[in-house]
Amino acid sequence: MIFTIKKNSKLPILKMKIFKDGRNFQDVSTFMNLLEEQNVITFSMKNVDNNQYKIVNKHGVVLLKTPATENSVVEYYISYKFNEEETDTVGIYKGEFKVTFSNEEYIILPIQDELYIHIKDSFIQ
């Protein structure tokens, strides 16, 4: 997945859909039950050129997309909102969400594809 944001910007918010693929969690509700047990979601981002972290273990959030109808599938997203200091350097970064469970085990997301954040130059200062 590639996420693009402008230099010194706070928007858009980074959102990653939690997929129900049967390999990692039996269903999304199982994942959400794990999150409700006082588990922690953090976000980290490092520069791919020099392997230096720009963001380390900052608080992430789980969002629920409200179903349009009763029969709609419930969708969950993990998200992170950048601040201006975190986007002040143009470059390509690798991002990851870490879900740490109460027993201190953790899982790194995304599992299937890597998450790349492109911070692009902006015309506005």
Side-chain angles (χ1 to χ4, degrees), residues 6 11 13 19-20 24 27 33 48 55 71 73 76 95 109:
K6 296 287 186 182
L11 296 173
I13 295 173
F19 288 101
K20 179 182 173 184
N24 305 308
D27 57 35
N33 288 340
V48 297
I55 301 170
N71 298 328
V73 176
Y76 291 95
L109 302 173

Side-chain angles (χ1 to χ4, degrees), residues 14-98:
L14 170 62
K15 290 191 300 187
M16 206 175 71
K17 185 175 179 180
I18 299 173
F19 288 101
K20 179 182 173 184
D21 65 2
R23 285 184 281 190
N24 305 308
F25 304 103
Q26 290 292 51
D27 57 35
V28 175
S29 63
T30 301
F31 181 77
M32 292 312 299
N33 288 340
L34 290 171
L35 292 179
E36 290 172 2
E37 297 173 0
Q38 302 301 316
N39 299 306
V40 178
I41 298 173
T42 57
F43 176 73
S44 297
M45 179 177 86
K46 71 178 173 179
N47 188 304
V48 297
D49 291 330
N50 61 19
N51 276 336
Q52 297 293 313
Y53 278 91
K54 181 81 173 172
I55 301 170
V56 179
N57 293 330
K58 292 266 195 114
H59 182 68
V61 176
V62 175
L63 301 173
L64 166 66
K65 179 180 176 185
T66 306
T69 66
E70 264 186 42
N71 298 328
S72 297
V73 176
V74 176
E75 294 179 355
Y76 291 95
Y77 293 83
I78 296 177
S79 69
Y80 182 78
K81 184 174 182 186
F82 293 95
N83 64 43
E84 292 163 346
E85 295 166 353
E86 295 166 341
T87 60
D88 66 356
T89 307
V90 172
I92 299 174
Y93 298 83
K94 184 177 176 185
E96 66 182 27
F97 287 93
K98 181 177 177 181

